[in-house]
Amino acid sequence: MQKIIHNVETNEISIVDLTEAEIAELEIEKIKKAKIEADKQKAEAAKAHERSALLAKLGITEEEAALLLGGN
Amino acid sequence: MTVGRLPSIDGGIQPTIVDAKGDLIAAVAADTPARIGVGANDTVLTADSSTATGLKWATPAGSSLSIAQIASGTVTSGQQLSLTGLSSYDTLELRVNAINLSAEDLMGVRINSNSGSNYEYNSARDRATASFDTSEPSIGFSLTAGYFDVMDAYLANGNTTNHFRIRFTNCKSTGFTLVEGLYTYRWLQSATARSAVTQWMGIYKVAEAVSSIQFFTGGSGNFSAGNYVLWGA
């Protein structure tokens, strides 16, 4: 794991390894990201369930719904 | 009192010491007055220990900023871009464009590598896809974050349509720093347009000057394409 350091005063650009502390912080961020992804999947699953329920209520297929809405 | 004469025990300063409208009298040493000729229009009297009287007429510093590009480069590897050597700038604007990540990931910004709970911000995000997304628009805020969440808990995608612009003001002050940013994303995939916009404003609540800025991923995605420009004043 690396970072780009650009010293604006000297215009020197270097690539160095992240410190142990920085890597530890990234692990925390990975947990946060995993939660966001889980929430997103949960929301998408709920949405798919709502769509299926509505189609069943209307008695039409997904393709027929797309045709009605003018979608592709 | 006679006009034109400044009284004193020793008889006062002679009026001939001044020659023209606007002339002033200042001391060049103890008990030693001298004339300061009037300055040019719109100049102001300024202390300057290198002159005989310790004063000079000077043009006041303008209120407009002299902003210039101070750095640029590409981000094609690693998880973090750290811009250092910024102590002489009071206003900074960072543009990071066409960012491509190897995997979806969070993006954040820190000041002086400080990971403490010193970042307070409010954000608003809107995202559009081909179908209506009931989770959008959304708002977010944090009074004690460990960085500015520049996308409002959204994940940067693996394509080159992620664009960021972040402005830092009051950087040289030993007080807090104001920060605001804009994230835009638009991608056309299989004739389906997807877009997202996040705007946020915050404050870095540490009483110190800004010497460096870190722009980083959440650790899952590496930079694989993108470029940056930093302006300063």
Side-chain angles (χ1 to χ4, degrees), chain B residues 71 85 102 119 132 140 147 162:
Chain B
S102 59
Y119 301 83
F132 181 66
Y147 59 87
N162 299 288

Side-chain angles (χ1 to χ4, degrees), chain B:
Chain B
M1 189 178 93
T2 305
V3 173
R5 191 174 187 84
L6 302 174
S8 77
I9 295 170
D10 296 327
I13 297 172
Q14 293 301 315
T16 52
I17 195 172
V18 290
D19 298 331
K21 184 170 100 176
D23 281 0
L24 299 171
I25 299 169
V28 293
D31 310 323
T32 312
R35 165 182 172 268
I36 297 179
V38 65
N41 285 345
D42 301 321
T43 56
V44 295
L45 199 58
T46 305
D48 183 351
S49 61
S50 69
T51 66
T53 59
L55 298 165
K56 71 176 181 184
W57 295 100
T59 303
S63 57
S64 61
L65 294 174
S66 180
I67 297 173
Q69 181 177 316
I70 57 174
S72 65
T74 56
V75 278
T76 54
S77 66
Q79 287 95 9
Q80 186 184 118
L81 168 66
S82 184
L83 297 158
T84 65
L86 305 177
S87 303
S88 61
Y89 300 96
D90 195 45
T91 300
L92 292 160
E93 176 142 332
L94 173 64
R95 183 195 77 196
V96 188
N97 266 15
I99 280 287
N100 187 64
L101 298 181
S102 59
E104 279 197 334
D105 208 347
L106 298 163
M107 301 290 292
V109 164
R110 282 193 178 118
I111 291 173
N112 297 344
S113 296
N114 190 319
S115 58
S117 303
N118 302 308
Y119 301 83
E120 175 184 326
Y121 63 87
N122 287 56
S123 58
R125 181 188 74 201
D126 202 358
R127 178 174 52 167
T129 58
S131 57
F132 181 66
D133 190 336
T134 52
S135 67
E136 301 292 336
S138 76
I139 56 169
F141 75 93
S142 175
L143 306 182
T144 56
Y147 59 87
F148 292 120
D149 183 345
V150 297
M151 304 175 72
D152 182 22
Y154 187 51
L155 303 176
N157 275 7
N159 57 61
T160 57
T161 55
N162 299 288
H163 309 296
F164 300 85
R165 185 169 287 267
I166 305 163
R167 186 171 297 170
F168 306 78
T169 53
N170 208 37
C171 301
K172 275 171 82 173
S173 166
T174 52
F176 296 170
T177 301
L178 301 174
V179 190
E180 56 189 309
L182 176 70
Y183 162 69
T184 56
Y185 159 71
R186 188 176 188 282
W187 184 34
L188 197 64
Q189 181 191 36
S190 305
T192 300
R194 300 166 191 275
S195 63
V197 176
T198 299
Q199 188 161 18
W200 57 275
M201 295 182 75
I203 186 165
Y204 174 60
K205 299 188 292 184
V206 178
E208 63 183 12
V210 175
S211 60
S212 68
I213 293 168
Q214 289 72 42
F215 180 82
F216 58 92
T217 75
S220 301
N222 294 335
F223 295 128
S224 57
N227 60 80
Y228 62 93
V229 175
L230 182 66
W231 292 272

